[in-house]
Amino acid sequence: MSDDVRDVVIIGSGPAGLTAALYTARANLHPLVIEGLQPGGQLTITTMVENWPGHKDGVMGPQLMADMRAQAEHFGTAFMSGLVERVDLSQRPFTLTLDGGQVIRSRTLIVATGASAKLLGLPSEMKLMGRGVSTCATCDGFFFRNRPVAIVGGGDTAIEEALYLSKLASHVTVIHRRDTLRASKIMQDKAFANPKISFRWNTEVEEIVADERGDVNGARLRDTKTGVVDTLAVDGVFVAIGHTPNTALFKGQLDMDEGGYLVTTGVRTNVAGVFAAGDVQDPVYRQAITSAGAGCMAAIDAERWLELGDAEYHHGAAATASA
Ligand code: NDP
């Protein structure tokens, strides 16, 4: 590694980024992780993780991420807080410019920027964020003890959050735009059996309303079948309608699908030397364990690419892919 050009820079510090860091650090590549807006990623805003192998009684999300970070650091990963504002992938070494103006150059780049919660796009939503509107039940549920809340969405996240909130709130209303849930059967069964959870089917949120102090006190709902509008009295509205990959930074430089996910072959992007791992390139599985697996793959590929050079690497990768 020369003084000013790094071998590996990893953007993002969730399971994908930290696993890539662990592997590249152990390969003596002295990786640098730029931690981003939410160091540790989405698992830092969750509670118990029950599907991370090896923890039969579960592990707390923030603890798991702190352990992953410590492990990566132990093997020589450097960390930098801050956001990458610009990247130039048109020539190598690649150039990254941070929000503080600092410029970093690297031979390879591993993109592990993850995904962020989607919003409904209502004018009230942003204004009332933190005043009753939230995208994270495990972060904010505590504030709604013994108060009525609504959850918007019909996927696993919405139902998981509804179940979590049912332990705190006085009542939880799930507002879903269709009349069937997308969530897994086991989650649905739990929610249907929970007396503190009710459902508003075929319903969209038109607006979130607030009292004179500016705190949420209701949601204006429209039945999509009948067009009837009414206001549900709730103190909190949790939006759980999925996630958007954090790829704006790479627009015009890395190939993306219509949802904004980076298009990869394995973990290779369309730019040689740039790899992507985790929620940023995975619209299907989106699990901590699959992200970590992809982070491992990106690290191994980056190491191979540095060692073999582009032509040899592609020859090898093509051979592996067709094996
Ligand atoms: P999903 O994309 O699975 O579900 C999003 C939900 O929000 C859908 O019901 C969708 O409605 C609804 N929705 C989307 N956009 C809007 C909108 N503009 N207005 C109103 N409703 C909207 O996202 P999740 O975050 O729930 O899950 C993502 C992935 O993570 C999935 O693969 C899921 O299985 C997984 N996951 C697994 C968990 C577990 O196993 N414990 C926990 C949480 C997530 P519609 O159904 O009509 O499209």
Side-chain angles (χ1 to χ4, degrees):
M1 188 176 70
S2 80
D3 283 349
D4 64 343
V5 181
R6 290 193 161 266
D7 279 328
V8 182
V9 170
I10 298 161
I11 314 181
S13 53
L18 293 182
T19 305
L22 171 65
Y23 273 75
T24 49
R26 294 190 77 247
N28 223 14
L29 294 173
H30 311 285
L32 169 70
V33 172
I34 301 169
E35 294 191 275
L37 257 190
Q38 191 176 47
Q42 293 176 60
L43 283 189
T44 59
I45 56 164
T46 187
T47 50
M48 191 59 87
V49 179
E50 293 183 331
N51 52 11
W52 185 263
H55 291 266
K56 78 175 169 48
D57 299 319
V59 53
M60 295 301 281
Q63 187 60 51
L64 179 61
M65 297 322 298
D67 288 347
M68 276 193 210
R69 190 187 191 281
Q71 194 177 0
E73 197 167 31
H74 171 74
F75 287 104
T77 302
F79 288 89
M80 190 180 271
S81 56
L83 283 180
V84 178
E85 221 167 56
R86 274 193 316 281
V87 292
D88 181 358
L89 309 179
S90 64
Q91 50 189 359
R92 294 200 291 261
F94 306 121
T95 308
L96 286 70
T97 308
L98 269 68
D99 48 357
Q102 188 170 359
V103 173
I104 293 166
R105 298 195 300 150
S106 184
R107 293 189 179 86
T108 66
L109 182 65
I110 297 178
V111 179
T113 47
S116 302
K118 263 193 213 163
L119 293 174
L120 293 161
L122 305 172
S124 56
E125 202 174 28
M126 282 316 291
K127 207 172 78 204
L128 296 172
M129 195 61 73
R131 313 237 26 190
V133 176
S134 170
T135 56
C136 176
T138 48
C139 318
D140 300 327
F142 183 78
F143 301 115
F144 299 92
R145 274 168 304 162
N146 304 317
R147 297 159 72 188
V149 297
I151 287 263
V152 189
D156 278 320
T157 302
I159 301 308
E160 192 170 81
E161 301 218 327
L163 290 165
Y164 176 78
L165 286 169
S166 72
K167 294 180 206 150
L168 298 165
S170 58
H171 190 79
V172 181
T173 306
V174 177
I175 300 163
H176 185 35
R177 63 183 178 184
R178 293 186 299 123
D179 62 0
T180 48
L181 296 175
R182 183 182 292 275
S184 53
K185 179 80 170 56
I186 184 168
M187 301 286 270
Q188 295 195 24
D189 291 346
K190 278 190 195 169
F192 292 145
N194 189 318
K196 283 174 81 179
I197 300 178
S198 61
F199 291 82
R200 289 284 300 260
W201 303 109
N202 301 311
T203 300
E204 282 176 359
V205 180
E206 268 198 353
E207 197 53 290
I208 301 166
V209 288
D211 61 19
E212 61 286 351
R213 291 191 310 275
D215 294 324
V216 168
N217 66 356
R220 200 162 72 234
L221 306 179
R222 193 175 63 85
D223 187 308
T224 57
K225 292 247 149 100
T226 62
V228 171
V229 174
D230 72 319
T231 299
L232 176 74
V234 283
D235 292 345
V237 176
F238 289 82
V239 181
I241 60 169
H243 288 81
T244 312
N246 298 320
T247 52
L249 185 61
F250 307 102
K251 244 188 197 129
Q253 302 194 65
L254 295 181
D255 287 349
M256 299 175 194
D257 68 12
E258 64 286 352
Y261 288 89
L262 296 185
V263 174
T264 53
T265 306
V267 289
R268 278 179 287 147
T269 69
N270 58 302
V271 174
V274 179
F275 305 90
D279 284 9
V280 75
Q281 48 88 235
D282 171 19
V284 179
Y285 302 103
R286 296 182 287 191
Q287 302 298 302
I289 188 70
T290 51
S291 292
C296 162
M297 291 160 67
I300 291 174
D301 276 18
E303 185 188 351
R304 268 191 206 150
W305 189 85
L306 284 166
E307 192 183 308
L308 300 174
D310 207 36
E312 271 295 303
Y313 163 83
H314 276 283
H315 180 70
T320 316
S322 62

